[in-house]
Amino acid sequence: MDKQNVKIETEKMLAGEIYDPMEKDLVSLRQRAHRLSKEYNECLETDEKREQILDELMPNRGKNVYLQSPVQFDYGRFTQMGENSYANFNFTCLDCAPVTIGKNVFMGPNVSLLTPVHPMRYQDRNMYRREDGVMTDKEYARPIVIGDNCWLAGNVTVVGGVTIGEGCVIGAGSVVTKDIPAGMFAAGVPCKVLREITEEDKL
């Protein structure tokens, strides 16, 4: 593909349109992110090299962002994370669509932010061979937005197209498939609002 087509494929991916995930520059960007994720995961917590790797892997982040390794990104560059935010062990972020994480967001172990969407019908989902012989498939993605001051407990999965409002708490093991309004405690599979967080919850 020429540079114009490459640009179009990236724009299509980020815009939520069906795109070719095996376009060579997208493959290169993913491989780069996977390599940087591996390098980050191999560093000790005290290794100053971790910040240098994050500068390459996840340049759109605020001050005092801390990611406990291991982490796994699809691209990294399409994720934005606000200052003082934190992710515990096994943070997975498939940022084929933009992922926006606010300030002071805390995520427990095994949190997954998954923007990719695959067709329901296998006739549309299965891989096929392009004219140039490369095997590919049809994919699209939906953005994820997590507001400031949220807490996502361990083993939470957020799927593409979801916005979690500011100040929410998402209970452990939840699968968030729909938007959660600001200031709510929500949990379950699928995740549902249980109640509002109020002054009665004050320590």
Side-chain angles (χ1 to χ4, degrees), residues 22 41 100 155:
M22 296 308 293
N41 296 337
T100 305
N155 295 293

Short mmCIF file of all heavy atoms in Angstrom, two decimals, residues 22 41 100 155:
data_model
loop_
_atom_site.label_atom_id
_atom_site.label_comp_id
_atom_site.label_asym_id
_atom_site.label_seq_id
_atom_site.Cartn_x
_atom_site.Cartn_y
_atom_site.Cartn_z
N MET A 22 -3.90 -5.90 9.03
CA MET A 22 -2.62 -6.41 8.54
C MET A 22 -1.93 -5.44 7.59
O MET A 22 -0.95 -5.80 6.94
CB MET A 22 -2.82 -7.77 7.88
CG MET A 22 -3.31 -8.84 8.83
SD MET A 22 -2.29 -8.99 10.33
CE MET A 22 -0.77 -9.59 9.62
N ASN A 41 8.30 -4.89 30.92
CA ASN A 41 7.98 -5.96 31.86
C ASN A 41 9.24 -6.64 32.41
O ASN A 41 9.21 -7.22 33.50
CB ASN A 41 7.09 -7.00 31.19
CG ASN A 41 5.74 -6.44 30.80
OD1 ASN A 41 5.29 -5.45 31.37
ND2 ASN A 41 5.11 -7.06 29.83
N THR A 100 -9.07 6.88 26.61
CA THR A 100 -8.83 8.08 27.41
C THR A 100 -9.09 7.76 28.87
O THR A 100 -10.21 7.42 29.25
CB THR A 100 -9.74 9.24 26.96
OG1 THR A 100 -9.56 9.46 25.55
CG2 THR A 100 -9.40 10.51 27.72
N ASN A 155 -9.70 -7.47 38.00
CA ASN A 155 -10.38 -8.31 37.00
C ASN A 155 -11.56 -7.63 36.32
O ASN A 155 -12.47 -8.30 35.85
CB ASN A 155 -10.84 -9.64 37.62
CG ASN A 155 -9.67 -10.49 38.06
OD1 ASN A 155 -8.89 -10.97 37.25
ND2 ASN A 155 -9.52 -10.65 39.36
#
